[in-house]
Amino acid sequence: MKQLLNQAIIIPKYLIKLILPLVAIALVSFVVVPSALATGVYQIPNLAADNSTWVVDEADAISRVNEGKISSTLSDLAKQTGYETRIVTIRRLDYGETPDSFAKALFEKWFPTKEAQANQTLLLIDTVTNGTAIVTGDKVKSLLTDSIAESVASETVMAPLRDGNKYNQAFLDASDRLVAVLSGQTDPGPPKVVDKVQVEGTFKKASETDQSNATAWVVGLLIAATIIPMATYYLYQVNQPSNNG
């Protein structure tokens, strides 16, 4: 009996020795993996030597076809006006980072001086939270004012994202609006958001309510008319004196 008890004690200890390392690995993975998936500014590559980089899609949010369209549009803008615009997507921010702080740090990494920053615009999105940010140089602000830039980030980009995370549409719309403004055209403004809330039909009409109540009463009466006689007959039979008495 003692041997059996000793074996019963030894087995759990053996299992614990096996399980503890697994638990430790799981905890480390839980802590380390999210941070490993985060993107730091230092991980974003520098621009190409000929400044031909227009889209940095670290989050793989934009299709190759649309990335090509956007890059071509922004390249033409730079050739025609001298204003350069970059779009950056990342999956996850480092702990304590915000879209604004990340965008500013990347802007300064790519364009370290005021002179280099003057004609630049950087639009960024974090696809985990759909947080957006935009940074502009001093010369850009004469056309792309802070209010328009903010509208591009918070309205033009966000409208398609609220309608099912349509990233391709979001950046196509944003690039079109930025190109229009920086080309000296009239700002087309943010997309019109259609209110899909159905006001009519939310509540039943009085006639529908009355008809529904009447139907419920009829069904209830039919059920009662069927069950009550059956129950009465059953009670009558039960209460009848026995013939064997």
Side-chain angles (χ1 to χ4, degrees):
M1 186 67 179
K2 289 183 179 180
Q3 291 180 348
L4 291 174
L5 288 174
N6 290 333
Q7 289 178 354
I9 293 172
I10 291 170
I11 291 173
K13 287 182 178 179
Y14 177 72
L15 290 175
I16 290 172
K17 288 181 179 179
L18 288 176
I19 292 171
L20 281 177
L22 296 176
V23 172
I25 292 171
L27 289 173
V28 170
S29 300
F30 181 77
V31 174
V32 173
V33 169
S35 59
L37 294 175
T39 302
V41 173
Y42 60 90
Q43 294 174 278
I44 304 296
N46 291 323
L47 296 178
D50 57 356
N51 284 344
S52 61
T53 304
W54 305 105
V55 178
V56 179
D57 187 19
E58 292 288 313
D60 293 325
I62 309 172
S63 69
R64 289 184 179 274
V65 172
N66 287 319
E67 183 176 339
K69 288 181 180 178
I70 294 171
S71 294
S72 179
T73 299
L74 297 180
S75 176
D76 290 341
L77 173 69
K79 292 175 183 176
Q80 294 168 9
T81 66
Y83 293 122
E84 299 183 358
T85 298
R86 267 89 185 181
I87 291 175
V88 178
T89 74
I90 58 174
R91 291 187 187 279
R92 186 191 300 272
L93 294 165
D94 272 336
Y95 179 75
E97 195 84 80
T98 66
D100 284 326
S101 65
F102 189 100
K104 289 176 182 176
L106 181 59
F107 193 73
E108 292 174 357
K109 173 187 175 180
W110 279 351
F111 315 108
T113 66
K114 286 290 184 181
E115 291 76 14
Q117 297 171 2
N119 292 334
Q120 304 296 333
T121 298
L122 172 63
L123 176 62
L124 175 134
I125 185 167
D126 157 32
T127 59
V128 169
T129 64
N130 282 346
T132 59
I134 189 167
V135 187
T136 58
D138 292 337
K139 289 185 179 179
V140 173
K141 295 180 186 295
S142 61
L143 292 173
L144 185 64
T145 62
D146 289 342
S147 60
I148 295 177
E150 176 60 28
S151 176
V152 170
S154 63
E155 296 179 289
T156 304
V157 174
M158 292 305 298
L161 299 187
R162 295 190 186 101
D163 189 25
N165 283 341
K166 298 176 181 177
Y167 292 102
N168 285 281
Q169 189 63 52
F171 288 114
L172 286 169
D173 291 349
S175 63
D176 287 345
R177 186 178 179 189
L178 288 169
V179 167
V181 173
L182 293 173
S183 297
Q185 302 173 22
T186 303
D187 177 20
K192 294 181 180 178
V193 179
V194 179
D195 188 1
K196 296 183 180 180
V197 178
Q198 296 181 354
V199 178
E200 186 177 355
T202 302
F203 301 99
K204 290 185 177 180
K205 296 179 181 178
S207 59
E208 293 175 342
T209 303
D210 293 340
Q211 184 177 359
S212 177
N213 290 338
T215 301
W217 274 104
V218 170
V219 171
L221 289 173
L222 288 173
I223 294 173
T226 302
I227 294 177
I228 292 174
M230 292 175 65
T232 303
Y233 179 76
Y234 174 79
L235 292 174
Y236 173 78
Q237 290 295 328
V238 170
N239 292 323
Q240 285 296 312
S242 175
N243 291 330
N244 295 329

